[in-house]
C-alpha cells in the first residue's frame, strides 16, 4: 500500500503537469541616488525609486530589487547580479533616478561618491548607460531602461576641461538601441533637463506609476499617456521621450487577467476570517499580530479600535489596583496611629487614585461604545460587499453569454457565400493598372513647405521665401545630423517634407549668442548679480579687484620746475597805497610808506605835502 504522504505528492505532481503553462518571468532593478557627497542633495530620487519599486511589486513582478544611494562599486555589483537574474527572464526592467551626464555623445549614470573634478574622471567614477543595456540583454521578450536622470547637473559647471574641444551636453544625449525589442525612456527629451517638481515625487515618476501598470495597455501607448501628463503638469516645459522600437504585437507591462467564468471568491474573506479569529482571542498579542499582517484597510481600522479598547481596560485595571493599594496604605497608617499629615497625604493619594479609576472606567465605556459601533459598521459593509460581488458576478455572466452569442452569429455570417461581395475580375485588373496619384505641389510650394517645417523643428532661423539657398541647405544638413536621416541637402524633396512633419517638436538644439542662454524654445539674456560678469564660458564669474599700482615720480621734471621757480625774479608786492607826483601815479613799493613832509625836507621824493619813505 502506498503511504498517504507519497500519494498526496503524486496527486500534486499530476496537477502541476496538467495545469496551465508557466507565466512569463519578469524581473526589475530600481536604483535611486539622492545623497551625493560632492554635490547638493537631491530630494526626490529616493522617493521616486521607492514609489516605482512598489509599483513593480504590485504589478506581480517575480523579482524587484530596490537600492538607494549606491556608490560606483555597489552600482557595478548590482548590475552584474541583475544580469544573472535576466538569463531566465522574459521581461527585464531597470529604473534609475539621480544625476546623469553626457560626455561627447555618451550618457553616464553618476554614483553618490563621484567627485568629477575633471572631464577625465567621468570614465573612472561613473557607470555608462551601455552597462545597463548589457545587463538586460539576456531577457527574451522585452528589455526596458527608464532613466529619470535628466536633471540640471551641477558637476558639469564645476568640472575642469582637459581639452577645450571636449563637449559636455545639457541633459542626456539621444540613444538608439541596437538590440530588438529594447526601449529606453527618458524623463526629458535629449538635450533638455527634467523637473523634480514641488511635491514628494517628480511629475515623471507620478505619471509612470499611473499608466504603466494598467493591465493590457501597450507600453508605447502607456508612455504616450506619460508624456501627455508630464507636459501638462510642467506647463509644456518638459517632454518625456522614448527611443527604440517593438514589434507589431501589443507589449503590456502587466498582462490582462483572463475573465472569470465561475463564481469568484471575495478577496476580503481571508482577512475577515483572520479578524474574527483575533476577535475570539480578544488579546493584545492577537490584535498586534493582525495589524502586522494587514497594516491598512477596513479591517485594520476595526482592529485598532479593538486594541484601543484593550488598552483602556488595562489602564482601568491598573488604576483600580493603585486605588486599592492607596486604601490599604491609608488603613495601615490609621491603624498605626500615624501623624495627621501622613494620614492627610495618604487620603489625598487615595482620592487621586479613585478619580483616576473613575476616569479609566469612563474611557473604557467610551472605547467599548466605539468598538460596538465599528463592529456594526463592519457587518453592514460586509453585507454590502457581498451584494456588490453577487451583482458583479451576474453582470460578468451576462457579458460572457452575450460575447458567446455574438461569436456564434459572426461564425454564421462567415459561413455564407462571399461571391456577391467579390469584385469582378475586369474591375480588379483596371484598379491594378490605375496609376498612383502624383504630388500636386510645385517646386516653389514644396521648397517653402520644407523651409516652414525646418523653422518649426528649430533648424532654420530665416523666413520661408521659397528660395532653396545655402542657408536652407545647411538647415537640412543640420536636421540630418540630429534626426539621423540622409536626405540630399542640395534640393527640397517630398520625402524630406514627410520626415519633417513626422517630428512632433524641436529637433535641432537651440544655439544662443554669447551673453544669452537657452530657456525652452527661446534665448534669454544672462543676468549676473553685483560683482559678477559673464565669462568666456558663458557663465557668471566674479569680477577681479583692481589693485593700486605704485609709480615713481620723474626727478628730472621736479628739479627743472624748482630751478625755474628760483630763477624767476620776485614781483614787488604793493601795499595798497597810491603815490602821485609830477611824473604820474603809481602804487607804493614794498617796504615803503607815505608820510606828511615839511617844506624844508628834500631827502625823499615829495608830492605836495606828502612823501614816499622807504627802508
Amino acid at each position: 500500500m502506498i503511504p498517504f504522504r507519497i500519494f498526496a505528492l503524486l496527486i500534486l505532481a499530476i496537477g502541476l503537469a496538467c495545469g496551465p503553462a508557466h507565466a512569463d518571468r519578469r524581473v526589475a532593478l530600481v536604483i535611486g541616488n539622492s545623497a551625493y557627497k560632492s554635490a547638493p542633495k537631491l530630494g526626490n530620487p529616493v522617493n521616486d525609486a521607492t514609489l516605482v519599486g512598489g509599483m513593480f511589486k504590485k504589478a506581480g513582478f517575480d523579482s524587484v530589487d530596490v537600492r538607494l544611494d549606491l556608490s560606483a562599486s555597489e552600482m557595478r555589483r548590482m548590475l552584474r547580479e541583475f544580469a544573472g537574474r535576466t538569463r531566465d527572464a522574459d521581461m527585464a526592467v531597470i529604473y534609475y533616478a539621480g544625476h546623469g551626464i553626457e560626455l561627447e555623445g555618451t550618457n553616464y549614470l553618476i554614483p553618490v561618491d563621484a567627485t568629477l573634478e575633471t572631464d577625465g574622471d567621468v570614465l573612472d567614477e561613473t557607470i555608462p548607460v551601455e552597462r545597463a543595456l548589457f545587463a538586460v540583454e539576456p531577457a527574451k521578450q522585452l528589455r526596458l531602461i527608464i532613466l529619470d536622470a535628466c536633471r540640471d547637473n551641477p558637476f558639469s559647471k564645476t568640472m575642469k576641461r582637459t581639452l577645450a574641444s571636449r563637449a559636455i551636453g545639457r541633459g542626456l544625449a539621444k540613444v538608439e538601441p541596437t538590440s530588438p525589442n529594447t526601449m529606453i525612456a527618458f524623463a526629458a527629451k535629449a538635450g533638455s533637463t527634467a523637473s523634480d517638481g514641488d511635491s514628494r515625487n517628480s511629475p515623471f515618476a507620478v505619471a509612470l506609476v499611473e499608466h504603466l501598470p494598467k493591465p493590457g495597455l501597450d507600453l508605447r501607448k502607456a508612455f504616450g499617456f506619460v508624456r501627455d501628463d508630464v507636459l501638462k503638469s510642467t506647463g509644456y516645459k518638459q517632454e518625456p521621450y522614448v527611443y527604440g522600437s517593438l514589434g507589431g504585437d501589443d507589449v503590456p507591462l502587466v498582462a490582462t487577467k483572463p475573465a472569470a467564468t465561475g463564481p469568484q471568491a471575495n478577496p476580503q474573506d481571508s482577512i475577515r476570517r483572520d479578524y474574527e479569529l483575533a476577535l475570539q482571542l480578544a488579546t493584545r498579542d492577537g490584535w498586534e499580530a493582525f495589524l502586522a499582517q494587514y497594516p491598512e484597510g477596513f479591517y485594520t481600522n476595526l482592529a485598532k479600535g479593538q486594541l484601543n479598547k484593550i488598552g483602556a481596560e488595562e489602564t482601568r485595571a491598573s488604576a483600580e489596583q493603585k486605588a486599592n493599594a492607596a486604601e490599604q496604605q491609608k488603613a495601615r497608617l490609621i491603624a498605626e496611629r500615624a501623624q495627621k499629615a501622613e494620614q492627610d497625604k495618604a487620603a489625598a493619594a487615595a482620592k487621586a487614585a479613585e478619580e483616576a479609576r473613575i476616569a479609566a472606567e469612563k474611557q473604557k465605556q467610551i472605547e467599548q461604545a466605539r468598538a460596538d459601533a465599528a463592529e456594526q459598521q463592519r457587518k453592514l459593509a460586509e453585507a454590502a460587499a457581498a451584494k456588490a460581488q453577487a451583482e458583479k458576478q451576474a453582470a460578468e455572466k451576462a457579458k460572457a453569454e452575450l460575447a458567446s452569442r455574438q461569436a456564434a452569429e459572426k461564425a454564421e455570417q462567415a459561413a455564407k457565400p462571399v461571391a456577391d461581395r467579390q469584385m469582378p475580375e475586369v474591375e480588379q485588373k483596371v484598379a491594378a493598372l490605375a496609376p498612383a496619384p502624383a504630388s500636386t505641389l510645385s517646386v516653389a510650394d514644396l521648397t517653402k513647405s520644407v523651409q516652414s517645417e525646418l523653422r518649426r523643428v528649430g533648424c532654420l532661423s530665416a523666413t520661408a521665401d521659397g528660395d532653396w539657398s545655402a542657408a536652407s541647405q545647411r538647415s537640412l544638413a543640420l536636421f540630418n545630423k540630429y534626426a539621423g536621416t540622409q536626405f540630399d541637402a542640395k534640393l527640397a524633396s517630398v520625402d524630406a517634407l514627410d520626415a519633417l512633419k513626422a517630428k512632433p517638436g524641436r529637433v535641432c538644439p537651440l544655439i544662443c549668442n554669447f551673453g544669452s542662454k537657452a530657456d525652452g524654445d527661446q534665448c534669454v539674456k544672462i543676468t549676473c548679480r553685483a560683482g559678477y560678469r559673464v565669462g568666456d564660458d558663458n557663465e557668471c564669474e566674479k569680477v577681479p579687484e583692481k589693485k593700486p599700482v605704485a609709480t615713481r615720480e620723474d626727478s628730472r621734471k621736479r628739479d627743472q620746475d624748482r630751478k625755474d621757480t628760483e630763477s624767476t625774479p620776485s614781483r614787488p608786492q604793493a601795499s595798497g597805497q597810491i603815490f602821485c607826483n609830477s611824473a604820474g601815479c603809481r602804487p607804493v613799493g614794498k617796504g615803503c610808506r607815505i608820510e606828511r613832509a615839511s617844506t624844508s625836507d628834500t631827502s625823499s621824493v615829495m608830492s605836495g605835502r606828502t612823501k614816499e619813505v622807504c627802508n
Side-chain angles (χ1 to χ4, degrees):
M1 179 180 289
I2 301 176
F4 177 76
R5 182 176 299 176
I6 298 178
F7 179 78
L9 291 176
L10 290 174
I11 295 297
L12 178 60
I14 295 173
L16 292 176
C18 300
H22 189 273
D24 293 343
R25 177 172 173 80
R26 299 172 297 170
V27 294
L29 173 62
V30 180
I31 299 176
N33 286 345
S34 288
Y36 283 90
K37 299 178 181 178
S38 301
K41 181 179 180 181
L42 293 175
N44 282 349
V46 168
N47 300 335
D48 295 342
T50 304
L51 180 66
V52 174
M55 180 264 290
F56 285 134
K57 292 178 181 179
K58 291 181 180 179
F61 271 59
D62 299 278
S63 172
V64 180
D65 202 350
V66 180
R67 299 290 177 173
L68 307 177
D69 295 330
L70 299 183
S71 62
S73 60
E74 292 171 339
M75 287 185 67
R76 293 189 183 95
R77 178 172 55 82
M78 291 308 305
L79 290 172
R80 183 169 62 252
E81 294 176 357
F82 185 70
R85 289 196 294 272
T86 59
R87 290 192 182 95
D88 59 346
D90 298 280
M91 182 182 300
V93 184
I94 293 179
Y95 171 84
Y96 172 79
H99 274 313
I101 192 171
E102 178 262 322
L103 180 64
E104 293 188 330
T106 302
N107 298 321
Y108 299 89
L109 309 180
I110 303 179
V112 295
D113 60 345
T115 57
L116 301 185
E117 296 179 354
T118 66
D119 50 6
D121 295 339
V122 174
L123 304 178
D124 298 328
E125 300 178 2
T126 62
I127 309 298
V129 173
E130 284 75 6
R131 183 65 183 84
L133 288 171
F134 180 82
V136 299
E137 181 69 23
K140 301 178 182 64
Q141 295 180 2
L142 174 66
R143 309 165 187 90
L144 176 60
I145 305 292
I146 304 175
L147 298 179
D148 194 358
C150 307
R151 295 167 173 83
D152 190 9
N153 189 357
F155 291 99
S156 60
K157 299 178 181 179
T158 59
M159 185 185 302
K160 297 179 182 179
R161 272 56 163 189
T162 56
L163 290 177
S165 61
R166 183 165 290 163
I168 297 177
R170 183 170 182 259
L172 296 180
K174 176 182 176 181
V175 177
E176 289 295 347
T178 57
S179 301
N181 297 329
T182 302
M183 294 181 66
I184 301 180
F186 283 6
K189 188 166 54 176
S192 60
T193 58
S195 171
D196 264 355
D198 299 327
S199 60
R200 175 180 174 84
N201 297 104
S202 67
F204 183 62
V206 173
L208 288 176
V209 175
E210 174 67 22
H211 297 291
L212 287 190
K214 291 181 179 179
L217 181 61
D218 183 62
L219 277 178
R220 287 159 290 198
K221 197 166 185 179
F223 278 111
F225 292 146
V226 170
R227 168 190 173 274
D228 295 342
D229 287 359
V230 174
L231 280 173
K232 292 179 182 178
S233 61
T234 60
Y236 295 88
K237 294 181 179 179
Q238 177 183 339
E239 180 183 5
Y241 228 76
V242 178
Y243 300 95
S245 63
L246 301 178
D249 296 334
D250 287 347
V251 183
L253 191 70
V254 179
T256 305
K257 295 181 180 179
T261 57
Q264 297 294 313
N266 189 350
Q268 296 289 326
D269 288 345
S270 60
I271 304 177
R272 177 176 56 81
R273 288 193 296 269
D274 291 346
Y275 175 82
E276 291 176 350
L277 178 60
L279 189 64
Q280 293 176 1
L281 295 175
T283 61
R284 175 178 290 275
D285 293 339
W287 289 120
E288 288 178 349
F290 179 85
L291 292 175
Q293 180 68 23
Y294 306 104
E296 58 183 12
F298 172 72
Y299 289 96
T300 301
N301 297 330
L302 297 178
K304 290 179 180 179
Q306 295 291 341
L307 195 60
N308 292 337
K309 185 178 74 172
I310 292 176
E313 172 61 24
E314 292 175 350
T315 304
R316 186 202 63 78
S318 176
E320 184 176 0
Q321 184 178 2
K322 291 180 180 179
N324 294 334
E327 286 292 341
Q328 294 175 2
Q329 179 71 7
K330 178 183 176 182
R332 185 182 66 80
L333 291 176
I334 293 175
E336 295 177 355
R337 298 179 180 179
Q339 297 180 358
K340 187 177 183 303
E342 293 181 357
Q343 294 179 1
D344 293 342
K345 183 178 180 180
K351 182 178 179 182
E354 180 64 20
E355 292 175 353
R357 185 190 65 79
I358 294 173
E361 183 69 27
K362 291 182 179 179
Q363 185 65 28
K364 176 189 174 182
Q365 295 174 358
I366 294 173
E367 295 297 337
Q368 181 66 38
R370 289 178 180 175
D372 294 342
E375 185 66 18
Q376 183 66 25
Q377 184 180 3
R378 176 184 72 85
K379 294 179 180 179
L380 294 176
E382 288 177 354
K387 181 179 178 182
Q389 184 70 17
E391 293 177 353
K392 181 179 178 181
Q393 292 178 359
E396 290 178 352
K397 182 178 179 181
K399 184 177 179 181
E401 292 176 353
L402 178 60
S404 177
R405 186 165 59 254
Q406 290 177 350
E409 293 175 356
K410 186 175 180 181
E412 183 179 355
Q413 291 291 335
K416 292 182 179 180
V418 295
D420 54 341
R421 297 196 300 269
Q422 293 180 348
M423 182 183 294
E425 184 178 357
V426 176
E427 295 183 4
Q428 293 179 2
K429 293 182 179 179
V430 173
L433 294 176
S439 176
T440 59
L441 285 176
S442 63
V443 176
D445 293 339
L446 177 60
T447 302
K448 186 176 291 187
S449 299
V450 173
Q451 289 174 337
S452 299
E453 290 299 321
L454 286 172
R455 283 178 54 86
R456 182 181 64 81
V457 297
C459 297
L460 178 64
S461 58
T463 58
D465 54 2
D467 181 16
W468 194 252
S469 59
S472 301
Q473 295 177 15
R474 288 193 300 270
S475 300
L476 184 54
L478 194 63
F479 174 78
N480 285 334
K481 176 182 178 181
Y482 289 101
T485 56
Q486 296 179 353
F487 298 113
D488 187 3
K490 296 181 180 179
L491 52 87
S493 62
V494 177
D495 294 337
L497 180 61
D498 294 339
L500 286 165
K501 288 182 178 180
K503 298 299 180 182
R506 173 179 288 276
V507 175
C508 298
L510 181 62
I511 301 176
C512 301
N513 295 328
F514 179 78
S516 301
K517 64 179 179 179
D519 185 6
D521 290 336
Q522 60 183 348
C523 294
V524 297
K525 183 180 180 181
I526 298 176
T527 303
C528 300
R529 65 178 185 269
Y532 286 76
R533 67 183 180 188
V534 180
D536 295 338
D537 57 353
N538 217 29
E539 299 287 345
C540 290
E541 63 180 16
K542 190 172 183 181
V543 178
E545 299 179 357
K546 293 183 178 180
K547 298 181 179 180
V549 179
T551 58
R552 184 181 298 275
E553 185 179 1
D554 191 353
S555 61
R556 292 178 296 178
K557 183 176 182 299
R558 182 184 60 200
D559 295 342
Q560 185 64 33
D561 292 342
R562 185 172 68 251
K563 290 179 181 179
D564 293 342
T565 302
E566 293 175 352
S567 62
T568 303
S570 60
R571 294 182 179 181
Q573 297 181 0
S575 62
Q577 295 178 326
I578 302 298
F579 177 72
C580 298
N581 56 14
S582 60
C585 296
R586 59 177 175 80
V588 177
K590 183 179 180 181
C592 302
R593 64 185 182 277
I594 299 176
E595 294 182 358
R596 184 177 293 276
S598 61
T599 55
S600 61
D601 192 353
T602 60
S603 60
S604 301
V605 181
M606 297 178 58
S607 175
R609 294 184 179 182
T610 60
K611 63 179 180 180
E612 183 180 10
V613 180
C614 298
N615 296 334

